[in-house]
Amino acid sequence: QLQLVESGGGLVHPGGSLRLSCAASGSTMDKYLIGWFRQAPGKEREGVSCTSSSGDITNYADSVKGRFTISRDNAKNTVYLQMSSLKPEDTAVYYCAAPPLGPFGCDKSSYWGQGTQVTVSS
């Protein structure tokens, strides 16, 4: 069973940067798609980014494209989300997640971390 734990959230000023980490245990993550999602209070959960098992294919929500970068280090069993030029609108709980092995995309994720809070405020 795959378990995921996010870390790296915190308080940052607009324009600042933060790197989130998603560490896997229970199984190696080198065969899993890994996605980042976020949910702000009163808003629907939205997909932020997704990466293929090798990291060679990535996608991003339009709202973060050019500012966020997803990467993975399978040897460390960790996926990262580098966030730059942060805006107050980025404030949310950020989750990493994975779908079951098989023909499923990040939108079918069933393994979820506990979330890490990112607050962008002056």
Side-chain angles (χ1 to χ4, degrees):
Q1 293 292 318
L2 183 68
Q3 296 122 55
L4 303 172
V5 177
E6 305 93 336
S7 62
L11 175 65
V12 64
H13 291 158
S17 298
L18 214 54
R19 187 176 74 162
L20 306 183
S21 297
C22 174
S25 63
S27 179
T28 58
M29 63 160 51
D30 60 351
K31 293 183 172 60
Y32 288 87
L33 296 170
I34 300 292
W36 285 96
F37 298 79
R38 67 186 183 186
Q39 187 165 27
K43 299 187 70 176
E44 298 291 323
R45 185 181 66 203
E46 64 174 334
V48 174
S49 186
C50 182
T51 182
S52 63
S53 60
S54 66
D56 60 336
I57 301 173
T58 60
N59 61 55
Y60 300 90
D62 287 343
S63 59
V64 308
K65 190 169 295 184
R67 300 188 298 119
F68 290 12
T69 302
I70 191 170
S71 62
R72 64 194 300 160
D73 186 341
N74 284 334
K76 295 182 178 179
N77 230 22
T78 302
V79 170
Y80 305 96
L81 185 68
Q82 178 66 51
M83 306 184 295
S84 300
S85 301
L86 284 161
K87 306 173 180 179
E89 306 93 277
D90 296 318
T91 296
V93 177
Y94 283 71
Y95 301 89
C96 65
L101 296 177
F104 306 106
C106 283
D107 61 330
K108 300 298 183 183
S109 290
S110 59
Y111 301 100
W112 292 84
Q114 84 291 344
T116 186
Q117 176 71 47
V118 172
T119 302
V120 185
S121 176
S122 58

